[in-house]
Amino acid sequence: MLTQDKETISRMPRGPITATQEVLKVQGGAQLKGTVRAAGAKNAMTKLLVASLLSDKRCIFYNVPDIGDVEVTVALCREIGADIQWDRAKGVMEVITKEIKTSYIPQSFSGANRIPILMIGALLGRTGDDIIVPTVGGCKIGRRSVDFHITALEKLGARIEYREMRREGAYFASAHNGLKGAVIELPFPSVGATENTILASVTARGTTVIKNAAIEPEIVDLILFLQKLGAIITLDVDRTIHIQGTRRFYEVEHTVLPDRLEAASWGMAAIASKGKVLVEGAQHLNMITFLNKVREVGGGYNVKSDGIEFFYDGPMQGGLHIETDVHPGFGTDWQQPFVVLLTQASGASVVHETVYENRFGYCQTLVEMGADISLFRQCLGGKSCRFASQGHLHSLVVRGPTPLTGRDITIPDLRAGFAYVMAALLASDSSTLRGVRYLDRGYENLVPKLQALGADIERSQAAVLPGTEEAEGPYGLANFCQSPFGELS
Ligand code: EPU
């Protein structure tokens, strides 16, 4: 059993498991006002931690978000052999991995999040020894296959085989003769596949060229970190990344970039609630497409020296066409809260989700709360996407403005979770939100931050509903001790 598992379980209350769970109680109607700070980016910090395993040098991270996804990744890296000191109050983490103790990622991390698959790239890069990585999980928003990762790593010389194990499958990887640079063209600019390929190429012999790479700001942050670590790495304007292999590493100090997804979440909540919120740390450069849509819908923003202030600027107009895309397009992780914002704008707007085939599952609850949303299998947008003619409900039309009423809501994934928090804040009465763990894993201090902005929200306990994931899902009460982590995005 994992050390972290043992610690977590030893902290759990003894005796019979009571069928209650933590929930959020939200009374709608408050206008959010004040200042909030966006934490370090979840989708950067988790990858930076994995990248630190490439070397035996000390890495110091600042602006580390205190969120569940980082906790799980810390547990994973400790399992591998990393010595990690984390001052949560200061947001500082020191990591040093003198040696890799094991390249076997235990099954208990299976389904925990998307991070374990990146261990293949990092550990092949560090040791080349036999590596076993269980299947990866994440929010259920699409098929989320890892075929691009595997193909790219094989091109670098890795041998990777998927085998069915007793409970679940695992990837067996090795590179006994070391990795060798190659030219790799990704079929789609996948964030994870780009990261995995970069991690593996840092120590490969020769030069690796990744074409059609993802260039999300969190990937740029990873590149900056790796450059400080010793990598010789360039990012061209045409989505091409060049990495020249090296094994000479240096100590690194790195400040994690602020979370543009959290920053946008606060912006949308501020505007939708008719309030005014300064989001400290929000970076203009990484939110350009988002800010254009804020202007289009009639929301207000001012870019300040220390962040971006978002405010209600009078009645909002629909008529928007939003097509989610890879960066620098409109991020898929902004989509769910933006749809809630659009329920408050007059007229119809169209949203075409082109990154995930199944990211509209949360709409049903919004409709039950009073939203007017219709889903379509066709590509409603300027272009047809990978999901055209596949039968997935991946376009929607939302008409507003519609008043929302409170509900007992079960959160299915992280960003849907924030969308529901927003909807509950806009509702005329109270709501109960279950599945708080999804929010905790991506939003640092969500409830205190919302309370400081004037929201009427609190954590409390409520009975677990029979038949829900909390009661009977793989990580629910019925299987309480199997994994303390649950599923993340
Ligand atoms: N895809 C494949 N094969 C692959 C890899 C990806 O078909 O081998 C497909 C996926 O099924 C998906 C698309 O490509 O349809 C994009 O997937 P990508 O690999 O880019 O996503 P990811 O690396 O799994 C990260 C973030 C997500 C974010 C996406 C897109 C992390 C831990 N997760 O996922 O974040 O939505 O990139 O930007 O970095 C979130 O924070 O809430 C979240 C879901």
Side-chain angles (χ1 to χ4, degrees):
M1 185 185 285
L2 290 176
T3 323
Q4 181 74 9
D5 280 2
K6 280 187 204 151
E7 279 173 15
T8 308
I9 289 167
S10 69
R11 284 201 304 271
M12 289 172 178
R14 298 286 174 214
I17 298 164
T18 49
T20 62
Q21 66 180 136
E22 206 171 25
V23 296
L24 297 182
K25 297 268 186 201
V26 185
Q27 175 63 47
Q31 297 181 342
L32 301 188
K33 288 193 176 146
T35 300
V36 69
R37 192 185 69 83
K42 163 180 95 71
N43 292 346
M45 185 58 216
T46 44
K47 325 298 175 64
L48 294 167
L49 259 169
V50 175
S52 75
L53 298 176
L54 281 169
S55 94
D56 60 358
K57 295 286 191 285
R58 182 182 315 277
C59 299
I60 302 177
F61 298 104
Y62 302 101
N63 200 30
V64 176
D66 188 0
I67 52 174
D69 234 357
V70 172
E71 264 176 27
V72 176
T73 312
V74 164
L76 181 56
C77 292
R78 282 189 176 138
E79 193 66 23
I80 302 296
D83 181 4
I84 301 178
Q85 310 300 324
W86 183 7
D87 184 334
R88 289 172 185 245
K90 291 191 178 141
V92 178
M93 189 183 287
E94 194 174 311
V95 185
I96 183 157
T97 311
K98 282 288 172 209
E99 57 172 356
I100 301 295
K101 287 199 202 126
T102 175
S103 294
Y104 165 51
I105 314 289
Q107 284 279 339
S108 53
F109 284 98
S110 156
N113 63 12
R114 311 287 302 161
I115 305 304
I117 196 74
L118 300 179
M119 286 293 177
I120 301 185
L123 293 178
L124 283 179
R126 175 84 182 253
T127 71
D129 284 349
D130 293 342
I131 297 159
I132 307 178
V133 169
T135 46
V136 285
C139 294
K140 297 183 199 79
I141 48 186
R143 211 162 42 90
R144 307 195 78 177
S145 139
V146 292
D147 50 341
F148 307 158
H149 300 236
I150 305 300
T151 307
L153 295 170
E154 285 176 341
K155 270 207 148 185
L156 293 171
R159 286 176 61 100
I160 304 178
E161 205 185 314
Y162 179 78
R163 291 187 210 155
E164 286 297 336
M165 309 276 282
R166 244 174 310 149
R167 272 173 42 207
E168 277 165 330
Y171 296 92
F172 287 69
S174 61
H176 294 149
N177 298 323
L179 296 171
K180 191 161 176 292
V183 177
I184 292 156
E185 176 144 15
L186 294 176
F188 181 81
S190 149
V191 169
T194 302
E195 291 161 340
N196 224 341
T197 314
I198 293 175
L199 291 172
S201 350
V202 167
T203 60
R205 294 191 305 280
T207 300
T208 299
V209 181
I210 310 173
K211 296 182 176 175
N212 202 27
I215 51 165
E216 266 61 7
E218 295 76 20
I219 290 183
V220 176
D221 206 42
L222 176 67
I223 288 174
L224 296 179
F225 167 80
L226 289 170
Q227 193 178 33
K228 294 185 214 173
L229 191 71
I232 300 166
I233 182 165
T234 56
L235 170 57
D236 296 347
V237 285
D238 63 346
R239 293 191 176 278
T240 303
I241 297 173
H242 295 254
I243 305 125
Q244 210 175 299
T246 183
R247 285 201 173 259
R248 193 162 171 188
F249 293 121
Y250 303 85
E251 295 202 344
V252 178
E253 287 194 21
H254 188 79
T255 302
V256 182
L257 92 161
D259 197 318
R260 68 196 163 100
L261 309 176
E262 186 197 350
S265 302
W266 293 122
M268 291 182 270
I271 295 167
S273 71
K274 302 193 172 153
K276 184 176 190 172
V277 173
L278 171 64
V279 186
E280 286 178 346
Q283 293 181 330
H284 189 176
L285 182 62
N286 295 332
M287 299 176 73
I288 292 175
T289 319
F290 171 75
L291 292 175
N292 286 338
K293 291 299 171 190
V294 168
R295 263 304 187 244
E296 263 184 61
V297 79
Y301 71 85
N302 284 322
V303 178
K304 307 263 196 182
S305 59
D306 52 350
I308 303 178
E309 185 176 61
F310 293 90
F311 57 93
Y312 179 70
D313 200 18
M316 287 179 284
Q317 296 296 322
L320 271 72
H321 174 230
I322 293 182
E323 203 155 41
T324 65
D325 207 343
V326 294
H327 188 79
F330 189 92
T332 171
D333 302 311
W334 292 325
Q335 178 259 108
Q336 289 131 309
F338 212 98
V339 168
V340 177
L341 187 65
L342 289 171
T343 66
Q344 305 306 302
S346 56
S349 296
V350 173
V351 181
H352 180 204
E353 171 60 61
T354 77
V355 179
Y356 293 112
E357 66 272 36
N358 190 19
R359 210 170 195 180
F360 286 149
Y362 69 98
C363 290
Q364 178 57 36
T365 298
L366 291 184
V367 169
E368 287 165 15
M369 294 176 82
D372 181 348
I373 300 174
S374 316
L375 300 182
F376 297 85
R377 297 184 197 282
Q378 295 85 350
C379 297
L380 300 184
K383 61 175 186 197
S384 67
C385 73
R386 294 177 297 146
F387 312 131
S389 316
Q390 288 188 9
H392 304 294
L393 290 165
H394 72 293
S395 297
L396 66 74
V397 174
V398 48
R399 293 173 204 82
T402 46
L404 301 176
T405 51
R407 278 283 179 288
D408 196 331
I409 301 168
T410 298
I411 294 172
D413 65 73
L414 175 61
R415 306 298 164 192
F418 194 87
Y420 287 158
V421 169
M422 261 178 80
L425 288 169
L426 300 179
S428 52
D429 49 1
S430 64
S431 299
T432 301
L433 276 73
R434 297 162 192 277
V436 184
R437 62 200 169 91
Y438 287 108
L439 287 164
D440 289 341
R441 282 165 170 162
Y443 290 92
E444 183 186 82
N445 291 330
L446 180 75
V447 171
K449 282 180 175 177
L450 277 167
Q451 286 168 339
L453 294 176
D456 186 346
I457 183 169
E458 61 177 22
R459 282 177 185 266
S460 65
Q461 293 290 320
V464 170
L465 298 178
T468 61
E469 194 188 345
E470 247 62 33
E472 282 150 35
Y475 309 112
L477 285 174
N479 302 295
F480 194 60
C481 288
Q482 276 192 11
S483 166
F485 302 132
E487 294 177 21
L488 331 177
S489 55

